[in-house]
Amino acid sequence: MSRIGKQPVKVPKDVKVVINNKNIDLKGPKGSLNLNIHPGIIAEYAQEKQQIQLKRTSDEKRFKALHGLTRALIANMITGVAKGFAKDIEIVGLGYNAKVQGSALILSLGFSHPVKMEIPKDIKVEVTNPTNPAKLTVSGIDKQRVGQFSALIRAKKPSEPYKGMGIKYAGEVIRRKAGKALASGG
């Protein structure tokens, strides 16, 4: 049995669960999410225990993988509708900054033009410090969407190893390299 898949998913009291056939709908204080699960996975909601239990129809390798994946997706959805997810991003560099205008994120990253990114409807971007180092927080209820948009922001100018300038996640360690002047030793 899948070690992750066999663990029940605890459901907080403020989250409502509706399971119709292969569709799971979750509603919580932050919003609502739904998931269509694979036909080989069976989901059961025990309301008295406040937990969701998953079972699979076959012991094939791919069904074992789907069992654990589905359990992890449901657990992330429950956390999302109950508490939400957030990623902190730092933009380091002289003249680099960030601002939100309407539904767009405007980044100045040392290019000849500002980089404009459209913020998805279900994602919230908050700029806590607009200048060096610029700090922003990407938040939402869907873990995958928050991570994807954060990765798109980071991909605009990843941190480089010589001066450390660029976009990085808060707490991310950039391995620094010695430049030519320091490496020659003479």
Side-chain angles (χ1 to χ4, degrees):
M1 213 163 177
S2 169
R3 287 187 219 161
I4 295 173
K6 71 180 178 182
Q7 297 172 358
V9 183
K10 300 279 186 214
V11 180
K13 295 199 184 306
D14 55 350
V15 175
K16 288 185 177 181
V17 178
V18 177
I19 299 176
N20 293 333
N21 253 348
K22 297 296 177 183
N23 192 22
I24 298 176
D25 291 317
L26 298 171
K27 287 185 177 68
K30 296 277 187 179
S32 62
L33 291 172
N34 64 355
L35 175 71
N36 290 322
I37 60 175
H38 191 272
I41 306 295
I42 301 165
E44 297 170 348
Y45 177 55
Q47 195 155 6
E48 64 279 350
K49 292 183 180 178
Q50 287 282 289
Q51 64 186 20
I52 298 173
Q53 184 70 45
L54 297 171
K55 297 178 180 142
R56 62 177 180 263
T57 57
S58 173
D59 278 340
E60 290 180 39
K61 189 174 182 178
R62 68 185 187 110
F63 285 101
K64 288 181 182 179
L66 283 170
H67 191 204
L69 171 71
T70 306
R71 191 253 179 225
L73 290 174
I74 292 171
N76 285 339
M77 287 171 52
I78 289 172
T79 304
V81 297
K83 300 175 190 164
F85 292 100
K87 282 219 180 239
D88 295 324
I89 298 174
E90 294 177 354
I91 303 173
V92 180
L94 191 62
Y96 291 11
N97 61 38
K99 61 184 170 185
V100 176
Q101 280 185 344
S103 65
L105 175 65
I106 311 293
L107 301 170
S108 295
L109 301 172
F111 300 128
S112 62
H113 59 283
V115 177
K116 184 178 180 182
M117 298 180 72
E118 201 63 34
I119 301 171
K121 298 273 187 242
D122 56 343
I123 300 292
K124 182 180 169 195
V125 177
E126 193 177 315
V127 178
T128 54
N129 186 19
T131 57
N132 197 17
K135 295 183 181 184
L136 26 126
T137 303
V138 179
S139 58
I141 61 172
D142 190 345
K143 187 175 187 176
Q144 190 273 331
R145 303 263 301 160
V146 169
Q148 180 68 39
F149 191 68
S150 299
L152 288 174
I153 293 171
R154 187 178 181 277
K156 295 299 178 188
K157 184 103 174 189
S159 282
E160 50 92 20
Y162 295 100
K163 293 184 181 176
M165 292 173 35
I167 303 174
K168 65 177 188 160
Y169 297 119
E172 180 182 4
V173 177
I174 304 298
R175 290 193 54 194
R176 301 296 292 270
K177 293 181 179 178
K180 285 182 181 180
L182 294 175
S184 66

PDB file of all heavy atoms in Angstrom, residues 87-109:
ATOM      1  N   LYS A  87       4.142  32.732  -0.895  1.00  0.00           N
ATOM      2  CA  LYS A  87       5.571  32.658  -1.189  1.00  0.00           C
ATOM      3  C   LYS A  87       6.130  34.065  -1.150  1.00  0.00           C
ATOM      4  O   LYS A  87       5.564  34.975  -1.743  1.00  0.00           O
ATOM      5  CB  LYS A  87       5.815  32.053  -2.572  1.00  0.00           C
ATOM      6  CG  LYS A  87       5.689  30.562  -2.619  1.00  0.00           C
ATOM      7  CD  LYS A  87       6.761  30.024  -3.529  1.00  0.00           C
ATOM      8  CE  LYS A  87       6.654  28.521  -3.594  1.00  0.00           C
ATOM      9  NZ  LYS A  87       7.827  27.861  -3.171  1.00  0.00           N
ATOM     10  N   ASP A  88       7.248  34.222  -0.445  1.00  0.00           N
ATOM     11  CA  ASP A  88       7.918  35.511  -0.365  1.00  0.00           C
ATOM     12  C   ASP A  88       9.048  35.549  -1.381  1.00  0.00           C
ATOM     13  O   ASP A  88       9.815  34.601  -1.498  1.00  0.00           O
ATOM     14  CB  ASP A  88       8.465  35.751   1.042  1.00  0.00           C
ATOM     15  CG  ASP A  88       7.355  35.868   2.072  1.00  0.00           C
ATOM     16  OD1 ASP A  88       6.301  36.419   1.732  1.00  0.00           O
ATOM     17  OD2 ASP A  88       7.546  35.411   3.213  1.00  0.00           O
ATOM     18  N   ILE A  89       9.149  36.669  -2.087  1.00  0.00           N
ATOM     19  CA  ILE A  89      10.153  36.837  -3.137  1.00  0.00           C
ATOM     20  C   ILE A  89      10.939  38.111  -2.854  1.00  0.00           C
ATOM     21  O   ILE A  89      10.362  39.119  -2.438  1.00  0.00           O
ATOM     22  CB  ILE A  89       9.475  36.911  -4.527  1.00  0.00           C
ATOM     23  CG1 ILE A  89       8.747  35.609  -4.817  1.00  0.00           C
ATOM     24  CG2 ILE A  89      10.481  37.231  -5.608  1.00  0.00           C
ATOM     25  CD1 ILE A  89       7.937  35.621  -6.085  1.00  0.00           C
ATOM     26  N   GLU A  90      12.259  38.049  -3.082  1.00  0.00           N
ATOM     27  CA  GLU A  90      13.121  39.216  -2.923  1.00  0.00           C
ATOM     28  C   GLU A  90      13.752  39.567  -4.265  1.00  0.00           C
ATOM     29  O   GLU A  90      14.183  38.677  -4.994  1.00  0.00           O
ATOM     30  CB  GLU A  90      14.228  38.930  -1.910  1.00  0.00           C
ATOM     31  CG  GLU A  90      13.739  38.721  -0.502  1.00  0.00           C
ATOM     32  CD  GLU A  90      14.849  38.372   0.469  1.00  0.00           C
ATOM     33  OE1 GLU A  90      16.008  38.181   0.027  1.00  0.00           O
ATOM     34  OE2 GLU A  90      14.555  38.289   1.665  1.00  0.00           O
ATOM     35  N   ILE A  91      13.824  40.865  -4.560  1.00  0.00           N
ATOM     36  CA  ILE A  91      14.473  41.344  -5.780  1.00  0.00           C
ATOM     37  C   ILE A  91      15.656  42.201  -5.342  1.00  0.00           C
ATOM     38  O   ILE A  91      15.472  43.264  -4.748  1.00  0.00           O
ATOM     39  CB  ILE A  91      13.501  42.158  -6.656  1.00  0.00           C
ATOM     40  CG1 ILE A  91      12.272  41.318  -6.988  1.00  0.00           C
ATOM     41  CG2 ILE A  91      14.185  42.632  -7.915  1.00  0.00           C
ATOM     42  CD1 ILE A  91      11.179  42.066  -7.699  1.00  0.00           C
ATOM     43  N   VAL A  92      16.877  41.714  -5.608  1.00  0.00           N
ATOM     44  CA  VAL A  92      18.094  42.376  -5.153  1.00  0.00           C
ATOM     45  C   VAL A  92      18.811  42.980  -6.352  1.00  0.00           C
ATOM     46  O   VAL A  92      19.069  42.290  -7.338  1.00  0.00           O
ATOM     47  CB  VAL A  92      19.019  41.373  -4.436  1.00  0.00           C
ATOM     48  CG1 VAL A  92      20.291  42.048  -3.964  1.00  0.00           C
ATOM     49  CG2 VAL A  92      18.300  40.710  -3.279  1.00  0.00           C
ATOM     50  N   GLY A  93      19.163  44.254  -6.261  1.00  0.00           N
ATOM     51  CA  GLY A  93      19.918  44.912  -7.328  1.00  0.00           C
ATOM     52  C   GLY A  93      19.698  46.409  -7.307  1.00  0.00           C
ATOM     53  O   GLY A  93      18.616  46.882  -6.943  1.00  0.00           O
ATOM     54  N   LEU A  94      20.699  47.145  -7.694  1.00  0.00           N
ATOM     55  CA  LEU A  94      20.619  48.594  -7.712  1.00  0.00           C
ATOM     56  C   LEU A  94      19.631  49.045  -8.799  1.00  0.00           C
ATOM     57  O   LEU A  94      19.765  48.688  -9.965  1.00  0.00           O
ATOM     58  CB  LEU A  94      22.002  49.196  -8.000  1.00  0.00           C
ATOM     59  CG  LEU A  94      22.140  50.686  -7.789  1.00  0.00           C
ATOM     60  CD1 LEU A  94      21.878  51.019  -6.329  1.00  0.00           C
ATOM     61  CD2 LEU A  94      23.518  51.144  -8.187  1.00  0.00           C
ATOM     62  N   GLY A  95      18.612  49.780  -8.392  1.00  0.00           N
ATOM     63  CA  GLY A  95      17.605  50.262  -9.333  1.00  0.00           C
ATOM     64  C   GLY A  95      16.498  49.261  -9.605  1.00  0.00           C
ATOM     65  O   GLY A  95      15.567  49.561 -10.346  1.00  0.00           O
ATOM     66  N   TYR A  96      16.570  48.062  -9.053  1.00  0.00           N
ATOM     67  CA  TYR A  96      15.519  47.069  -9.248  1.00  0.00           C
ATOM     68  C   TYR A  96      14.368  47.404  -8.297  1.00  0.00           C
ATOM     69  O   TYR A  96      14.583  47.688  -7.121  1.00  0.00           O
ATOM     70  CB  TYR A  96      16.026  45.667  -8.940  1.00  0.00           C
ATOM     71  CG  TYR A  96      17.033  45.114  -9.908  1.00  0.00           C
ATOM     72  CD1 TYR A  96      17.647  45.893 -10.882  1.00  0.00           C
ATOM     73  CD2 TYR A  96      17.382  43.781  -9.852  1.00  0.00           C
ATOM     74  CE1 TYR A  96      18.569  45.366 -11.757  1.00  0.00           C
ATOM     75  CE2 TYR A  96      18.314  43.236 -10.732  1.00  0.00           C
ATOM     76  CZ  TYR A  96      18.901  44.038 -11.671  1.00  0.00           C
ATOM     77  OH  TYR A  96      19.816  43.515 -12.538  1.00  0.00           O
ATOM     78  N   ASN A  97      13.139  47.350  -8.798  1.00  0.00           N
ATOM     79  CA  ASN A  97      11.992  47.564  -7.925  1.00  0.00           C
ATOM     80  C   ASN A  97      10.757  46.875  -8.483  1.00  0.00           C
ATOM     81  O   ASN A  97      10.774  46.357  -9.604  1.00  0.00           O
ATOM     82  CB  ASN A  97      11.738  49.060  -7.672  1.00  0.00           C
ATOM     83  CG  ASN A  97      11.435  49.829  -8.937  1.00  0.00           C
ATOM     84  OD1 ASN A  97      10.752  49.336  -9.816  1.00  0.00           O
ATOM     85  ND2 ASN A  97      11.938  51.051  -9.023  1.00  0.00           N
ATOM     86  N   ALA A  98       9.697  46.873  -7.676  1.00  0.00           N
ATOM     87  CA  ALA A  98       8.446  46.219  -8.058  1.00  0.00           C
ATOM     88  C   ALA A  98       7.278  47.069  -7.585  1.00  0.00           C
ATOM     89  O   ALA A  98       7.359  47.729  -6.552  1.00  0.00           O
ATOM     90  CB  ALA A  98       8.370  44.835  -7.433  1.00  0.00           C
ATOM     91  N   LYS A  99       6.182  47.052  -8.353  1.00  0.00           N
ATOM     92  CA  LYS A  99       4.957  47.725  -7.940  1.00  0.00           C
ATOM     93  C   LYS A  99       3.769  47.042  -8.602  1.00  0.00           C
ATOM     94  O   LYS A  99       3.901  46.415  -9.659  1.00  0.00           O
ATOM     95  CB  LYS A  99       4.996  49.213  -8.265  1.00  0.00           C
ATOM     96  CG  LYS A  99       5.129  49.553  -9.720  1.00  0.00           C
ATOM     97  CD  LYS A  99       5.260  51.043  -9.920  1.00  0.00           C
ATOM     98  CE  LYS A  99       5.627  51.320 -11.368  1.00  0.00           C
ATOM     99  NZ  LYS A  99       5.882  52.725 -11.616  1.00  0.00           N
ATOM    100  N   VAL A 100       2.618  47.166  -7.967  1.00  0.00           N
ATOM    101  CA  VAL A 100       1.383  46.606  -8.502  1.00  0.00           C
ATOM    102  C   VAL A 100       0.538  47.760  -8.999  1.00  0.00           C
ATOM    103  O   VAL A 100       0.263  48.702  -8.261  1.00  0.00           O
ATOM    104  CB  VAL A 100       0.628  45.799  -7.421  1.00  0.00           C
ATOM    105  CG1 VAL A 100      -0.695  45.299  -7.959  1.00  0.00           C
ATOM    106  CG2 VAL A 100       1.470  44.640  -6.927  1.00  0.00           C
ATOM    107  N   GLN A 101       0.140  47.693 -10.285  1.00  0.00           N
ATOM    108  CA  GLN A 101      -0.757  48.686 -10.880  1.00  0.00           C
ATOM    109  C   GLN A 101      -1.990  47.951 -11.389  1.00  0.00           C
ATOM    110  O   GLN A 101      -1.915  47.225 -12.378  1.00  0.00           O
ATOM    111  CB  GLN A 101      -0.078  49.409 -12.040  1.00  0.00           C
ATOM    112  CG  GLN A 101       0.857  50.504 -11.638  1.00  0.00           C
ATOM    113  CD  GLN A 101       1.397  51.248 -12.850  1.00  0.00           C
ATOM    114  OE1 GLN A 101       1.310  50.773 -13.971  1.00  0.00           O
ATOM    115  NE2 GLN A 101       1.962  52.416 -12.606  1.00  0.00           N
ATOM    116  N   GLY A 102      -3.096  48.142 -10.704  1.00  0.00           N
ATOM    117  CA  GLY A 102      -4.322  47.458 -11.101  1.00  0.00           C
ATOM    118  C   GLY A 102      -4.156  45.949 -10.970  1.00  0.00           C
ATOM    119  O   GLY A 102      -3.885  45.435  -9.897  1.00  0.00           O
ATOM    120  N   SER A 103      -4.293  45.233 -12.081  1.00  0.00           N
ATOM    121  CA  SER A 103      -4.133  43.779 -12.055  1.00  0.00           C
ATOM    122  C   SER A 103      -2.826  43.354 -12.711  1.00  0.00           C
ATOM    123  O   SER A 103      -2.712  42.246 -13.233  1.00  0.00           O
ATOM    124  CB  SER A 103      -5.306  43.103 -12.762  1.00  0.00           C
ATOM    125  OG  SER A 103      -5.296  43.435 -14.128  1.00  0.00           O
ATOM    126  N   ALA A 104      -1.821  44.249 -12.676  1.00  0.00           N
ATOM    127  CA  ALA A 104      -0.532  43.945 -13.295  1.00  0.00           C
ATOM    128  C   ALA A 104       0.598  44.195 -12.298  1.00  0.00           C
ATOM    129  O   ALA A 104       0.530  45.102 -11.473  1.00  0.00           O
ATOM    130  CB  ALA A 104      -0.322  44.783 -14.539  1.00  0.00           C
ATOM    131  N   LEU A 105       1.635  43.378 -12.405  1.00  0.00           N
ATOM    132  CA  LEU A 105       2.841  43.540 -11.611  1.00  0.00           C
ATOM    133  C   LEU A 105       3.898  44.140 -12.528  1.00  0.00           C
ATOM    134  O   LEU A 105       4.186  43.591 -13.590  1.00  0.00           O
ATOM    135  CB  LEU A 105       3.307  42.179 -11.072  1.00  0.00           C
ATOM    136  CG  LEU A 105       4.627  42.143 -10.318  1.00  0.00           C
ATOM    137  CD1 LEU A 105       4.537  42.940  -9.027  1.00  0.00           C
ATOM    138  CD2 LEU A 105       5.025  40.705 -10.008  1.00  0.00           C
ATOM    139  N   ILE A 106       4.449  45.290 -12.142  1.00  0.00           N
ATOM    140  CA  ILE A 106       5.456  45.981 -12.936  1.00  0.00           C
ATOM    141  C   ILE A 106       6.804  45.797 -12.240  1.00  0.00           C
ATOM    142  O   ILE A 106       6.970  46.196 -11.089  1.00  0.00           O
ATOM    143  CB  ILE A 106       5.145  47.488 -13.077  1.00  0.00           C
ATOM    144  CG1 ILE A 106       3.696  47.728 -13.498  1.00  0.00           C
ATOM    145  CG2 ILE A 106       6.137  48.146 -14.018  1.00  0.00           C
ATOM    146  CD1 ILE A 106       3.348  47.267 -14.880  1.00  0.00           C
ATOM    147  N   LEU A 107       7.767  45.203 -12.951  1.00  0.00           N
ATOM    148  CA  LEU A 107       9.099  44.952 -12.399  1.00  0.00           C
ATOM    149  C   LEU A 107      10.133  45.750 -13.188  1.00  0.00           C
ATOM    150  O   LEU A 107      10.148  45.709 -14.418  1.00  0.00           O
ATOM    151  CB  LEU A 107       9.445  43.466 -12.493  1.00  0.00           C
ATOM    152  CG  LEU A 107       8.515  42.480 -11.791  1.00  0.00           C
ATOM    153  CD1 LEU A 107       8.863  41.061 -12.190  1.00  0.00           C
ATOM    154  CD2 LEU A 107       8.610  42.641 -10.298  1.00  0.00           C
ATOM    155  N   SER A 108      10.993  46.459 -12.487  1.00  0.00           N
ATOM    156  CA  SER A 108      12.141  47.130 -13.116  1.00  0.00           C
ATOM    157  C   SER A 108      13.360  46.296 -12.763  1.00  0.00           C
ATOM    158  O   SER A 108      13.764  46.244 -11.600  1.00  0.00           O
ATOM    159  CB  SER A 108      12.299  48.551 -12.579  1.00  0.00           C
ATOM    160  OG  SER A 108      11.192  49.322 -12.947  1.00  0.00           O
ATOM    161  N   LEU A 109      13.939  45.628 -13.767  1.00  0.00           N
ATOM    162  CA  LEU A 109      15.001  44.653 -13.515  1.00  0.00           C
ATOM    163  C   LEU A 109      16.289  44.967 -14.263  1.00  0.00           C
ATOM    164  O   LEU A 109      17.082  44.074 -14.551  1.00  0.00           O
ATOM    165  CB  LEU A 109      14.508  43.253 -13.908  1.00  0.00           C
ATOM    166  CG  LEU A 109      13.266  42.762 -13.172  1.00  0.00           C
ATOM    167  CD1 LEU A 109      12.769  41.466 -13.768  1.00  0.00           C
ATOM    168  CD2 LEU A 109      13.545  42.605 -11.696  1.00  0.00           C
TER     169      LEU A 109
END
